[in-house]
């Protein structure tokens, strides 16, 4: 099977292994985008690197694929998109990337591992809408959706437009220049800064692998706190040598739309941007 054959590429030296990992990751990403992955910025997850490592070293990829399936579900990727991504990896390993990645051509054990993990994570998120994301300590996107619903219901009762009372502050970190542990550390630092600056009852949530958001009330000092957030994140990235390559985070204030449905759609879009 192609996944096991890739293990013959392993050379046992750190430099060779690192090169093989980068090459496999780049080829997989290109094949996945060509197969229809919709949001290039959210493709790269730490679990992708784990899968690449298992392939290059010749290890059984089942555990790594289980982690990838769960991570894809948590990040908002649909099952069809997740399985097509897996098919892209299989096409790379089989040397058939000249043709469209075919899910039906992917070995059943790999499909089963990813599909079951994706479904398990998706159902778990559905049943725990108020959960906290472990890495950042911020709330999940599902919890933010619940809070948005409460804001819109309160607005309807009081006759006030949520756009006049609340804003969504969105922090986006460009993680394209790093991989593995530094990616995790970057978002953990973002979570720390948000909790430090917005400590007055605001709703803090992680929306995607490189996106976090704050649902805050409009008021004096909001612009200053937003600017402080951006400066603190950049400052903490500079302290860590592995994170100095990152660009300054993008921070913007999003006006809430008129309808709750539009607000929920906006959260979905921000998480996949």
């Amino acid at each position: 099977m192609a996944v096991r054959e890739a293990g013959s590429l392993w050379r046992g030296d750190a430099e060779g292994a690192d090169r093989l990992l980068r090459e496999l990751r780049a080829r997989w990403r290109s094949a996945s985008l060509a197969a229809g992955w919709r949001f290039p910025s959210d493709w790269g997850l730490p679990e992708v690197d784990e899968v690449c490592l298992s392939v290059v070293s010749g290890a059984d990829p089942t555990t790594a694929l289980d982690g990838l399936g769960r991570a894809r579900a948590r990040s908002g990727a649909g099952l069809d998109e997740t399985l097509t991504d897996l098919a892209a990896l299989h096409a790379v390993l089989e040397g058939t990337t000249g043709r469209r990645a075919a899910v039906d051509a992917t070995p059943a054990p790999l499909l089963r591992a990813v599909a079951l993990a994706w479904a398990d994570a998706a159902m778990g998120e559905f049943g725990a809408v108020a959960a906290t994301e472990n890495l950042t300590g911020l709330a999940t996107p599902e919890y933010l959706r619940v809070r948005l619903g409460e804001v819109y219901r309160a607005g309807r009762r009081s006759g006030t437009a949520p756009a006049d009372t609340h804003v969504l502050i969105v922090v986006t970190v460009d993680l394209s220049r790093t991989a593995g542990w530094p990616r995790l550390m970057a978002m953990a630092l973002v979570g720390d800064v948000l909790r430090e600056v917005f400590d007055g009852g605001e709703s803090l949530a992680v929306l995607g692998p490189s996106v976090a958001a704050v649902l805050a009330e409009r008021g004096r000092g909001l612009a200053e706190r937003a600017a402080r957030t951006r400066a603190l994140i950049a400052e903490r990235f500079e302290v860590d040598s592995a994170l100095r390559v990152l660009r300054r985070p993008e921070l913007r204030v999003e006006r809430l739309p008129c309808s709750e449905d539009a607000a929920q759609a906006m959260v979905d879009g921000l998480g996949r941007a």
Side-chain angles (χ1 to χ4, degrees), residues 164-181:
D164 295 332
T165 60
H166 290 75
V167 295
L168 200 63
I169 300 172
V170 182
V171 180
T172 304
V173 181
D174 183 356
L175 298 177
S176 61
R177 297 185 178 186
T178 188
W181 175 247

Side-chain angles (χ1 to χ4, degrees), residues 18-273:
D18 185 60
R19 176 179 57 80
L20 291 172
L21 287 171
R22 291 198 308 270
E23 290 178 357
L24 176 57
R25 191 179 192 278
R27 291 169 59 198
W28 180 8
R29 183 178 187 276
S30 296
S32 189
L33 297 185
W37 187 270
R38 294 176 296 166
F39 299 92
S41 64
D42 76 353
W43 181 84
L45 300 174
E47 289 77 9
V48 166
D49 297 327
E50 293 296 325
V51 172
C52 290
L53 179 60
S54 69
V55 168
V56 171
S57 65
D60 184 344
T62 303
T63 299
L65 289 174
D66 180 282
L68 180 64
R70 294 175 187 278
R72 291 297 190 210
R74 290 193 295 267
S75 69
L79 180 58
D80 181 65
E81 190 173 21
T82 298
L83 294 183
T84 300
D85 178 51
L86 175 64
L89 171 63
H90 182 253
V92 167
L93 297 176
E94 291 288 340
T96 59
T97 52
R99 302 191 297 271
R100 181 176 175 82
V103 173
D104 291 344
T106 308
L110 305 186
L111 287 174
R112 184 176 186 274
V114 172
L116 289 178
W118 183 96
D120 186 51
M123 290 303 295
E125 290 294 330
F126 178 78
V129 295
T132 298
E133 199 268 340
N134 291 331
L135 173 66
T136 63
L138 304 180
T140 62
E142 287 72 20
Y143 178 73
L144 182 60
R145 294 187 186 101
V146 171
R147 284 289 297 119
L148 280 170
E150 293 171 346
V151 168
Y152 277 84
R153 287 193 297 275
R156 287 192 292 270
R157 177 180 290 273
S158 64
T160 304
D164 295 332
T165 60
H166 290 75
V167 295
L168 200 63
I169 300 172
V170 182
V171 180
T172 304
V173 181
D174 183 356
L175 298 177
S176 61
R177 297 185 178 186
T178 188
W181 175 247
R183 295 174 64 94
L184 302 178
M185 180 58 67
M187 290 308 294
L189 289 175
V190 168
D192 287 342
V193 170
L194 290 180
R195 287 193 300 273
E196 177 181 333
V197 177
F198 296 95
D199 59 354
E202 297 86 356
S203 297
L204 317 177
V206 58
L207 301 185
S210 60
V211 184
V214 179
L215 178 63
E217 293 185 4
R218 288 182 176 275
R220 294 179 60 183
L222 187 61
E224 289 78 3
R225 283 194 290 167
R228 183 181 173 220
T229 296
R230 187 172 186 269
L232 281 177
I233 293 173
E235 177 183 304
R236 294 184 187 181
F237 284 177
E238 185 63 27
V239 171
D240 192 318
S241 60
L243 301 178
R244 288 174 188 165
V245 298
L246 299 179
R247 297 186 179 95
R248 288 177 66 87
E250 176 189 350
L251 191 147
R252 62 188 188 277
V253 178
E254 295 282 354
R255 180 182 176 87
L256 292 182
C258 295
S259 72
E260 180 182 345
D261 287 345
Q264 303 289 2
M266 181 176 73
V267 169
D268 290 338
L270 290 171
R272 306 295 307 283

